[in-house]
C-alpha cells in the first residue's frame, strides 16, 4: 500500500513508502525540492552526507540535486543573452531555492508534485518566465522523477538542465564497480579535453569527471559490489551522461543532462518556445528486482 507522510524535524521532509516492495523515498522541498534518500528492502540506493543537508550554507552532497537552468559550469560563470551579460554559478539556482508542494497522491503509487516559478531573484540571473513542475513518484520499487519545464514568457527559453544522483558505492568497493555504456567519446573535465572512453571506466583512487558524449541506450546499469545493481533510465532528450566520483567518498554519480556543460553560453542549449513545455523522466530501480 503506498503512503505519503510528513516528517517535521530537523528538516521538514516528505516520505513516500511502498509497503509491498519495502521501498522508501524522502524529499526535502525546502532544500531545492530534492530527493534525499531512496532505499528498497533496506538496501540503500542513494548516498547522503547528512551534515550538508542540514547546513543551509552548503550545497547538499548526496541525494538527487536538481540542476536548473544549467548543469555544469559556464565559462567564467557568465553568458550573454540579447546583448546583456548574466552571471550564474555552477549547476544554476534551483537546487538552492525552496520549492512549493502543490499535490500529494496515492492513486498511482505514492507521489508528491513540487513547483518552482520565476521570481525577481531568478530573473536577475536568467531572464525567462519559467515554471517547473516535478513529480516524485514511488511505484512499487521504482522511483521516478517526472520533470516538466514550461516557458510562460514571450521569447524562446534555453534550458540546459540535469539531475545529479549520488549513488551509494562504498569507496573500498569502487575498483569493482562498473557502469554499462557503449560511449566511445567523452569530455574529461579533470584533464580539460575530449578523450576516448576506456572501458571499464576506472572509478577507484582518483577523481573521475567524464561527460559521455555518445552514450546510446536510454538507460545504464551501475554495478555495485556487494549491493544490488541500479538501473538508471532517462529520456531521449538527455544528450550527455556524466560520471563523477572523488576518492575517499562513498558515492558514484551518474547524471543525465539535457546538454553538455557550457551550452547556455555557446548557444547550443535546447530551447522551449513561448507557451511551450518540455518533459522528461528519470527512473531508478534495482536492476535485479522483479
Amino acid at each position: 500500500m503506498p503512503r505519503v507522510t510528513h516528517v517535521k524535524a530537523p528538516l521538514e521532509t516528505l516520505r513516500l513508502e511502498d509497503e509491498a516492495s519495502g521501498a522508501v523515498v524522502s524529499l526535502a522541498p525546502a532544500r531545492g525540492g530534492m530527493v534525499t534518500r531512496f532505499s528498497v528492502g533496506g538496501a540503500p540506493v542513494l548516498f547522503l552526507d547528512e551534515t550538508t543537508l542540514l547546513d543551509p550554507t552548503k550545497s547538499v552532497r548526496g541525494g538527487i540535486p536538481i540542476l536548473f537552468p544549467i548543469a555544469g559550469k559556464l565559462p567564467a560563470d557568465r553568458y550573454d543573452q540579447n546583448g546583456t551579460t548574466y552571471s550564474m554559478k555552477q549547476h544554476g539556482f534551483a537546487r538552492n531555492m525552496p520549492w512549493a508542494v502543490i499535490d500529494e497522491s496515492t492513486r498511482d503509487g505514492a507521489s508528491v508534485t513540487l513547483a518552482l516559478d520565476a521570481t525577481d531573484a531568478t530573473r536577475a540571473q536568467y531572464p525567462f518566465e519559467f515554471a517547473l513542475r516535478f513529480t516524485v513518484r514511488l511505484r512499487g520499487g521504482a522511483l521516478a522523477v517526472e520533470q516538466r519545464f514550461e516557458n510562460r514568457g514571450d521569447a524562446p527559453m534555453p534550458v540546459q538542465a540535469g539531475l545529479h544522483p549520488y549513488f551509494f558505492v562504498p569507496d573500498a568497493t569502487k575498483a569493482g564497480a562498473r557502469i554499462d555504456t557503449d560511449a566511445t567519446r567523452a569530455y574529461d573535465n579533470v584533464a580539460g579535453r575530449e578523450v576516448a572512453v576506456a572501458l571499464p571506466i576506472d572509478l577507484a583512487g582518483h577523481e573521475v569527471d567524464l561527460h559521455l558524449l555518445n552514450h546510446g541506450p536510454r538507460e545504464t546499469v551501475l554495478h555495485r559490489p556487494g549491493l544490488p545493481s541500479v538501473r538508471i533510465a532517462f529520456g531521449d532528450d538527455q544528450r550527455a551522461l556524466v560520471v563523477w566520483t572523488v576518492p575517499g567518498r562513498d558515492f558514484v554519480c551518474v547524471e543525465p543532462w539535457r546538454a553538455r556543460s557550457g551550452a547556455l553560453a555557446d548557444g547550443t542549449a535546447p530551447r522551449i518556445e513561448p507557451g511551450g513545455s518540455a518533459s522528461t523522466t528519470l527512473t531508478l530501480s534495482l536492476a535485479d528486482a522483479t
Side-chain angles (χ1 to χ4, degrees), residues 154-167:
D154 56 8
M157 182 176 76
V159 176
Q160 182 202 329
L163 292 176
H164 197 315
Y166 286 75
F167 296 101

Side-chain angles (χ1 to χ4, degrees), residues 13-14 16 24-29 31-39 45-48 53 60-66 112 114 134-137 143-146 163-166 282 284:
T13 300
L14 280 76
L16 314 182
V24 180
V25 172
S26 297
L27 61 148
R31 288 295 264 150
M34 66 179 291
V35 171
T36 56
R37 297 174 178 85
F38 175 36
S39 62
V45 177
L46 298 177
F47 165 88
L48 178 66
L53 178 68
V60 181
R61 184 63 67 88
I64 310 179
I66 297 169
V112 173
L114 305 175
F134 279 34
T135 296
V136 176
R137 187 181 309 278
L143 165 63
V145 183
E146 303 164 2
L163 292 176
H164 197 315
Y166 286 75
L282 171 72
L284 308 180

Side-chain angles (χ1 to χ4, degrees), residues 10 22 32 38 90 97 102 109 120 169 192 236 239 266 281 286:
F38 175 36
Q90 179 172 320
M97 298 182 69
I102 61 172
D120 288 343
V169 179
D236 290 342
R239 300 184 183 181
D266 66 22
T281 299
L286 300 187

Side-chain angles (χ1 to χ4, degrees), residues 9-133:
L11 176 71
E12 184 169 12
T13 300
L14 280 76
R15 179 181 169 97
L16 314 182
E17 299 176 74
D18 181 82
E19 186 176 358
S21 65
V24 180
V25 172
S26 297
L27 61 148
R31 288 295 264 150
M34 66 179 291
V35 171
T36 56
R37 297 174 178 85
F38 175 36
S39 62
V40 181
V45 177
L46 298 177
F47 165 88
L48 178 66
D49 182 338
E50 185 84 17
T51 61
T52 62
L53 178 68
L54 300 178
D55 186 344
T57 68
K58 295 181 178 179
S59 296
V60 181
R61 184 63 67 88
I64 310 179
I66 297 169
L67 313 182
F68 177 89
I70 62 169
K73 284 181 65 68
L74 298 170
D77 292 334
R78 296 178 181 277
Y79 72 101
D80 292 328
Q81 181 68 32
N82 294 332
T84 300
T85 298
Y86 295 89
S87 178
M88 191 185 306
K89 293 183 178 180
Q90 179 172 320
H91 295 329
F93 47 73
R95 62 179 178 151
N96 299 317
M97 298 182 69
W99 290 53
V101 178
I102 61 172
D103 188 51
E104 300 174 29
S105 177
T106 56
R107 289 188 300 273
D108 182 18
S111 67
V112 173
T113 300
L114 305 175
L116 183 70
D117 293 349
T119 66
D120 288 343
T122 68
R123 295 181 192 103
Q125 302 178 62
Y126 181 68
F128 299 98
E129 298 302 314
F130 67 84
L132 308 185
R133 299 294 182 265

